[in-house]
Amino acid sequence: MQIEVSRDVFRLAQVFTISRGSRTEAKVLTVRISDGTYQGWGECVPYARYDETLESVEAEIAGLPAEFTRQSLMDLLPAGAARNAVDCALWDLECKRAGKRVWELAGLPVPGPEITAYTLSLDTPEAMRAQAADNAHRPLLKIKLGTPDDMPRLEAVRAGTPKSKIIVDANEGWSAEVYADLAPHLVRLGVALVEQPLPAGDDDALIGMDRPVPVCADESCHDRNSLPKLKGKYDVINIKLDKTGGLTEALELRKAAIAQGYDIMVGCMVGSSLAMAPATLLAQGAMVTDLDGPLLLAEDRDTPLIFDDAGVHPSVSALWG
């Protein structure tokens, strides 16, 4: 097999801010794998939160042997961005070889569109109210929070969009005390889900706390190995391909999590339609789909995913799978 790795940069439609910082572009790695006849590709977003850089992920991929399979890849690379891009490229390659769609190879039902959240960037209450009003037509909005002063932001967003369903993402930015204070207000304002309220290393504080709104594990959940540590803390897990290390593990994590009673959220990093395409399979029937990466971009792949009133649609084969 021949593996080619390239760096791509996609401009964002506007500055995107979370509790850990701001960005104006999405820097991704694109992996192409060829067997001499067919070629598959995949995309990943190295994430500093997990000590990943473009350089470190490129080095991981460069260290792979000349020949391997999707299954042997699980032992060659750890869960993370590098394995994700390679795994998804192998799925695409298998589809091209077989002349079949990815859901046929995976033994899954034909997928359909799923309503996706649209993320509002962290900003002043006034600016977030304006963002909410501009997007009040959307059925599901996600609010980036994670500061000690989030109550005015919550109130402002709800005032800007009285009817939209709202989920909030604290990105590990709250303490147990802040979360406990905010929880009743989340209920009052009709928040449907709160994502990762506490730092992953301090989430034992969730054990025994009231969870009037379902709590979702994001940074605390990477792959199946994460599940034993989540018991008693979370109601939902957020599956992201760049955390699981690809679609292969993500499908197994989804199955295992459902068997253990968790609801499913399918999320993403800020990337192109190529990064979202495999995740649309995971999103089928999920409690929450959050695959709005392409909606935040000013530019995308040549054959982008379709987003309309029905939600985000599965990819066409010209894009992936």
Side-chain angles (χ1 to χ4, degrees):
M1 291 187 297
Q2 296 178 329
I3 303 179
E4 176 188 328
V5 182
S6 60
R7 298 185 185 188
D8 291 303
V9 179
F10 296 92
R11 291 180 296 108
L12 300 189
Q14 60 189 28
V15 177
F16 185 73
T17 301
I18 66 173
S19 61
R20 283 192 281 268
S22 301
R23 68 178 74 177
T24 58
E25 58 190 15
K27 296 179 179 179
V28 310
L29 289 179
T30 304
V31 172
R32 294 174 174 84
I33 300 180
S34 173
D35 63 2
T37 303
Y38 299 100
Q39 178 180 269
W41 67 338
E43 176 185 315
C44 68
V45 181
Y47 200 40
R49 169 64 179 80
Y50 306 129
D51 298 319
E52 294 175 334
T53 64
L54 293 168
E55 293 77 15
S56 71
V57 171
E58 284 180 313
E60 284 186 89
I61 297 170
L64 288 169
E67 297 294 332
F68 55 89
T69 65
R70 269 196 303 107
Q71 291 306 318
S72 63
L73 178 65
M74 302 283 282
D75 297 320
L76 293 171
L77 289 178
R83 196 175 77 190
N84 174 34
V86 176
D87 179 79
C88 290
L90 288 175
W91 274 104
D92 191 38
L93 178 61
E94 290 175 31
C95 290
K96 301 295 191 297
R97 285 171 171 168
K100 295 183 177 181
R101 296 308 312 269
V102 62
W103 51 85
E104 296 178 89
L105 296 185
L108 299 172
V110 178
E114 291 284 340
I115 294 294
T116 180
Y118 179 81
T119 305
L120 304 184
S121 184
L122 181 67
D123 209 323
T124 64
E126 296 75 20
M128 293 187 76
R129 176 172 179 158
Q131 288 185 64
D134 288 344
N135 291 280
H137 63 285
R138 300 183 188 274
L140 178 60
L141 294 180
K142 176 172 170 174
I143 315 171
K144 286 291 188 180
L145 298 176
T147 77
D149 306 309
D150 281 333
M151 197 61 234
R153 293 185 173 96
L154 275 168
E155 298 276 11
V157 168
R158 179 45 86 197
T161 179
K163 295 182 180 179
S164 298
K165 185 177 178 180
I166 291 176
I167 59 177
V168 303
D169 184 4
N171 279 119
E172 305 181 276
W174 293 338
S175 66
E177 292 74 22
V178 168
Y179 169 61
D181 287 343
L182 284 175
H185 298 288
L186 298 177
V187 175
R188 175 174 60 84
L189 294 169
V191 172
L193 180 83
V194 57
E195 228 183 307
Q196 199 68 43
L198 308 186
D202 296 327
D203 64 356
D204 281 353
L206 290 170
I207 298 174
M209 288 184 69
D210 289 336
R211 297 199 295 271
V213 172
V215 178
C216 179
D218 183 1
E219 286 85 353
S220 290
C221 182
H222 291 247
D223 57 13
R224 282 172 288 175
N225 294 324
S226 303
L227 291 176
K229 299 177 182 178
L230 306 181
K231 190 173 182 180
K233 306 175 189 178
Y234 298 98
D235 310 289
V236 187
I237 66 159
N238 188 347
I239 302 175
K240 292 179 180 175
L241 294 169
D242 278 314
K243 293 189 302 176
T244 65
L247 180 61
T248 302
E249 172 62 22
L251 289 169
E252 294 300 324
L253 172 59
R254 186 180 189 276
K255 186 189 307 180
I258 291 172
Q260 294 182 33
Y262 293 100
D263 283 316
I264 302 299
M265 175 178 182
V266 177
C268 65
M269 307 302 186
V270 182
S272 80
S273 284
L274 177 58
M276 308 301 127
T280 61
L281 296 180
L282 300 167
Q284 300 301 300
M287 177 184 177
V288 175
T289 297
D290 179 24
L291 298 178
D292 64 341
L295 296 177
L296 305 176
L297 303 180
E299 53 195 353
D300 199 355
R301 302 288 181 176
D302 289 340
T303 312
L305 291 175
I306 293 173
F307 292 82
D308 59 22
D309 289 346
V312 54
H313 290 252
S315 65
V316 296
S317 58
L319 174 63
W320 181 85

